[in-house]
Amino acid sequence: MGINKKTLAITLFFQLLSSVACFSRSDFTSTFLFGTATSSYQIEGAYLEGNKSLSNWDVFTHLPGKIKDGRTGDIADDHYHRYMEDISLMHSLGVNSYRFSMSWSRILPRGRFGDVNPVGIKFYNRIIDSLLIKGIQPFVTLNHFDVPQELEDRYGSWLSPQIREDFGHLAEVCFKEFGDRVKFWTTFNEPNLFVKFSYAFGKYPPGRCSEPYANCTTGDSEVEPYIAAHNIILSHATAVDIYRKNYQVKQGGSIGIVITSKWYEPLTNSTADCLATQRALSFEGPWILDPILLGDYPSEMHEVLGSRLPIFTYEEKKLLLNKLDFIGINHYSTNYVMDCMLSSCDLDGYMRDALIATTGYKDGVLIGEPTALPTYYAVPYGIEKMVRYIMERYNNVPMYITENGYAQGSSGAFTKELINDTERIKFMHSYLTFLSAAISQGADVRGYFSWSLLDNFEWAFGYTVRFGLFHVDYKTQRRTPKLSAKWYKKFLSGKKLQLRTSTQNNEI
Ligand SMILES: *[C@@H]1O[C@H](CO)[C@@H](O)[C@H](O)[C@H]1NC(C)=O
Ligand SMILES: *[C@@H]1O[C@H](CO)[C@@H](O)[C@H](O)[C@H]1NC(C)=O
Ligand SMILES: *[C@@H]1O[C@H](CO)[C@@H](O)[C@H](O)[C@H]1NC(C)=O
Ligand SMILES: *[C@@H]1O[C@H](CO)[C@@H](O)[C@H](O)[C@H]1NC(C)=O
C-alpha cells in the first residue's frame, strides 16, 4: 500500500473514532499517571541467572500439561537483558510512569531463610534509576504471583500464616533498598483471582484443587482459596504497617493493593438477579478490600460461605484497619449475571462460589465485542460503573487503574493484523472515555496503566494471547510498535484525537 493510501486509511480510522467521543490528555490532570504495566515472571526470563532461586512458576511451568502451549517463562521477553531497550520504548511513548513487579526469588532467593541477593537488588536499582532518568515514575508491585519455591516446599506458602512474616521481610527489604526512589508501592496483584486459580481450579501453582471444581491430586477447593486470601490480606497489613512505621514519613510514598474485577450487570431486572449481581461484585474486590476498609468480609460472603470463611481476631482487625492509601483496579470486561441461589442453574466456572451464572448474551445480543480471552468482552461503560462502585463503597479512596487492555489471539507468526491492532485502539479510546466520565463525576482516579507494554507470557495461556502495545517476536526478541503504541503516544502528546476540523494532525 502506498504511503498516501496508508495515511488515508489511518486518517479515516481516527475520524471514525472521533464519532465515539472527543477527548484528550488534557481531560486528565497533568499529574495523572499514564503508564504501561508488566510483571516479573511474564517478561524477565533469565530464570537461572543472577543468583536467583526457582520460583513456584519456574517449577510449575516445567511440569507437563500445565501451560496451554507447553511453554515457560524461562526466557519470556528476555527483559532481564533488554530492560534498557524496553525503557526506551516506554520513553518513546511519552508515559510518565511504569508499573512492574519485583521477583521475590531474585531479591530473597530463600525468603527469610537466607540472605538478600545483591545481584537482584542491583538489577532493580538499574531499572529504577534508568526510569527516573527518563522521567518515568516506578510503580512497584511487591508480589505478582511468583514466590520462591522454597516457601512453597517448607510450609505451603499462602496456606500458612508463616507467609506473613516472610512477606513482611520482603517488603521491608524493598522499602529499605528502593524506597528512597520508589514512591508508589502495591503489595499484591489480583489476590482475589490468583488464589482461585491456585487453590480452586489448580491452574496456577501449586496446582491444588478438589472436585467438583476441577481434578487435582490434592487440595480442597471449598476452603483453601479463602485461607490463602486470609493470609494474603494479613500479609498486606503487615507490609503496610512496616511501611507506615519505619519508612513512609521519611520516604514520602504511598502504598496500596491491586484487585481485579469484572463489572456485572443483572441479566433481568428480577430481584434475584439484582441480588446475585451484588453478590458477584462482593466476591471480587470487596473480598479483599472490605476487611481493610470496612472491618470484615462482605456480608454476602458470610451468608454463602459460613464457616468456610476464616475469622479475623480482634487484634487482626485492629492491624487491618485503613491499611491502604489507594486501591489499584485491574478491569477488562463486563458480564451479565443470573441468580443460581433461588433457582437452579449451571454455576459459572470462575464465580461458582457466588452462586451465580454469567453470560455475554441478553436476548441473543452480545454485551460487547469478543476478545481472544473467553468471557472477556469489550464493554467500555463497565469501567465507569466499576470505578463508581469502588468510589461509593469506600468513600472515594484514591484509585489507580492498574491494568486495562485488549487480548489478541496469536498463531505466533508476525502478521500485519497483529500490528494493525485497530481493535485495541478502539478498546483503549473508549475505556478511557468512560474513565474520564467517572472522573468528571468526582471519582478520585489518579492513574491508568495499559496492560501491557509488551506481548508476554500470559500464565496458563502461555504465549497464545497478546496484550502488548509492542509486538514481540519470541524467536528474535524483536519489538515492533503496534498501531496502538502510536495511538497511545499521540494521545499522550496532548493532541486532540478528534478530526472534524483538520486531518493533518492525525498522521501517525
Ligand atoms: C488496518 O485495519 C483497518 C481495519 O481493519 C483497515 O481499515 C486499515 O486499512 C488497516 N491499515 C493498514 C495500514 O493496514
Ligand atoms: C552467586 O553466589 C555464589 C555463591 O553463593 C557466589 O560465589 C557468586 O559470586 C554469586 N554470583 C554473583 C553474580 O554474584
Ligand atoms: C474429574 O475426573 C473424572 C474422572 O476422569 C471425571 O469423571 C470428572 O468429570 C472430572 N471432574 C472435573 C471437574 O473435571
Ligand atoms: C423489567 O424489565 C421488563 C422488560 O425488560 C420491563 O417491561 C419491566 O418494566 C421492568 N420492570 C421493572 C420493575 O423495572
Side-chain angles (χ1 to χ4, degrees):
M1 195 191 274
I3 187 71
N4 287 338
K5 263 164 109 183
K6 186 168 159 184
T7 303
L8 182 67
I10 292 167
T11 302
L12 287 172
F13 174 69
F14 280 108
Q15 264 168 352
L16 192 75
L17 279 183
S18 71
S19 63
V20 179
C22 166
F23 81 122
S24 75
R25 174 67 179 88
S26 60
D27 291 335
F28 301 85
T29 63
S30 60
T31 55
F32 193 89
L33 297 184
F34 272 108
T36 62
T38 65
S39 90
S40 53
Y41 188 72
Q42 292 177 277
I43 65 165
E44 282 180 8
Y47 83 119
L48 294 174
E49 281 177 63
N51 280 359
K52 171 185 165 297
S53 68
L54 291 183
S55 76
N56 57 340
W57 273 94
D58 292 318
V59 172
F60 189 74
T61 56
H62 281 252
L63 300 173
K66 300 296 187 192
I67 306 301
K68 191 170 175 184
D69 56 6
R71 290 161 72 189
T72 70
D74 293 1
I75 299 170
D77 289 334
D78 195 31
H79 175 75
Y80 188 75
H81 300 112
R82 294 167 196 263
Y83 66 92
M84 282 304 284
E85 179 188 350
D86 293 338
I87 290 170
S88 296
L89 297 181
M90 278 178 236
H91 184 56
S92 76
L93 292 177
V95 295
N96 60 10
S97 51
Y98 172 47
R99 174 174 180 251
F100 65 102
S101 79
M102 293 180 171
S103 156
W104 195 336
S105 302
R106 285 196 195 286
I107 291 174
L108 287 162
R110 305 192 56 208
R112 71 186 198 277
F113 305 99
D115 295 331
V116 174
N117 172 22
V119 190
I121 300 293
K122 212 165 126 192
F123 173 60
Y124 292 113
N125 270 331
R126 284 196 301 248
I127 290 188
I128 291 165
D129 292 341
S130 309
L131 288 169
L132 288 171
I133 286 169
K134 306 253 187 200
I136 300 172
Q137 284 295 319
F139 193 106
V140 174
T141 311
L142 290 170
N143 181 263
H144 199 121
F145 302 177
D146 49 336
V147 175
Q149 179 65 25
E150 181 166 346
L151 305 188
E152 186 61 49
D153 296 340
R154 274 185 187 258
Y155 56 75
S157 68
W158 304 113
L159 292 179
S160 165
Q162 283 197 55
I163 197 78
R164 302 175 200 171
E165 195 181 335
D166 258 304
F167 187 73
H169 181 54
L170 170 72
E172 177 133 33
V173 167
C174 291
F175 301 147
K176 195 187 292 170
E177 298 285 348
F178 311 119
D180 56 335
R181 289 152 294 148
V182 173
K183 301 305 166 196
F184 301 95
W185 295 100
T186 65
T187 51
F188 289 94
N189 178 67
E190 304 186 347
N192 62 304
L193 177 141
F194 94 72
V195 298
K196 293 208 272 191
F197 282 109
S198 296
Y199 302 104
F201 310 123
K203 299 255 191 216
Y204 288 3
R208 296 172 63 87
C209 69
S210 59
E211 287 209 75
Y213 292 70
N215 276 313
C216 299
T217 51
T218 179
D220 184 344
S221 298
E222 293 212 330
V223 303
E224 286 186 357
Y226 300 102
I227 293 171
H230 199 73
N231 288 322
I232 287 170
I233 293 164
L234 289 163
S235 298
H236 162 88
T238 302
V240 177
D241 198 50
I242 291 168
Y243 190 57
R244 292 232 170 116
K245 283 195 176 124
N246 304 337
Y247 299 92
Q248 190 162 32
V249 173
K250 196 169 51 194
Q251 299 180 341
S254 60
I255 188 163
I257 188 166
V258 174
I259 57 90
T260 184
S261 181
K262 281 181 177 160
W263 178 249
Y264 294 99
E265 285 286 320
L267 182 67
T268 75
N269 55 16
S270 72
T271 308
D273 283 355
C274 292
L275 289 175
T277 302
Q278 290 309 309
R279 204 159 63 237
L281 289 166
S282 285
F283 270 74
E284 294 252 54
W287 174 10
I288 308 299
L289 299 172
D290 274 17
I292 302 168
L293 292 170
L294 304 178
D296 199 359
Y297 291 115
S299 56
E300 291 93 342
M301 296 191 79
H302 278 294
E303 279 157 28
V304 174
L305 300 171
S307 62
R308 289 160 65 189
L309 204 55
I311 307 279
F312 291 111
T313 65
Y314 174 77
E315 286 305 314
E316 287 169 346
K317 283 189 181 182
K318 245 176 46 186
L319 173 73
L320 279 170
L321 199 62
N322 290 321
K323 281 290 185 331
L324 56 74
D325 300 321
F326 63 86
I327 296 169
I329 302 169
N330 291 357
H331 176 78
Y332 292 86
S333 181
T334 295
N335 288 173
Y336 292 120
V337 171
M338 281 168 291
D339 173 65
C340 300
M341 196 145 87
L342 299 177
S343 40
S344 69
C345 52
D346 280 341
L347 289 172
D348 181 72
Y350 178 67
M351 290 298 287
R352 63 177 296 141
D353 283 1
L355 304 179
I356 62 160
T358 65
T359 174
Y361 286 92
K362 183 175 188 166
D363 302 328
V365 180
L366 211 49
I367 193 167
E369 292 294 319
T371 72
L373 287 185
T375 80
Y376 277 65
Y377 309 102
V379 186
Y381 70 74
I383 201 167
E384 180 184 342
K385 295 199 175 189
M386 190 72 237
V387 162
R388 287 177 50 117
Y389 172 79
I390 297 285
M391 158 176 137
E392 280 157 24
R393 193 175 183 100
Y394 304 115
N395 198 22
N396 213 3
V397 171
M399 290 167 270
Y400 293 85
I401 302 301
T402 33
E403 286 180 25
N404 175 243
Y406 178 84
Q408 294 167 296
S410 168
S411 56
F414 180 97
T415 63
K416 212 170 95 191
E417 289 68 41
L418 286 174
I419 302 302
N420 183 11
D421 57 342
T422 51
E423 290 302 324
R424 180 173 287 111
I425 296 177
K426 213 161 96 186
F427 185 98
M428 290 178 72
H429 182 108
S430 50
Y431 272 75
L432 279 170
T433 302
F434 280 95
L435 180 63
S436 84
I439 293 169
S440 65
Q441 293 160 50
D444 189 0
V445 181
R446 301 183 178 187
Y448 173 93
F449 294 88
S450 170
W451 184 272
S452 178
L453 173 67
L454 303 167
D455 291 337
N456 60 45
F457 178 80
E458 183 54 32
W459 311 113
F461 290 97
Y463 297 94
T464 63
V465 293
R466 293 178 180 269
F467 275 98
L469 297 172
F470 288 85
H471 177 275
V472 176
D473 178 334
Y474 296 111
K475 287 208 181 74
T476 61
Q477 291 296 342
R478 180 159 172 240
R479 281 88 160 116
T480 307
K482 300 179 189 175
L483 207 52
S484 57
K486 298 176 181 174
W487 177 86
Y488 200 31
K489 176 189 171 105
K490 187 174 177 61
F491 167 74
L492 293 174
S493 77
K495 286 185 188 136
K496 282 272 177 201
L497 293 170
Q498 191 200 26
L499 298 175
R500 256 171 227 133
T501 51
S502 152
T503 52
Q504 290 155 350
N505 293 346
N506 295 283
E507 286 178 40
I508 51 177

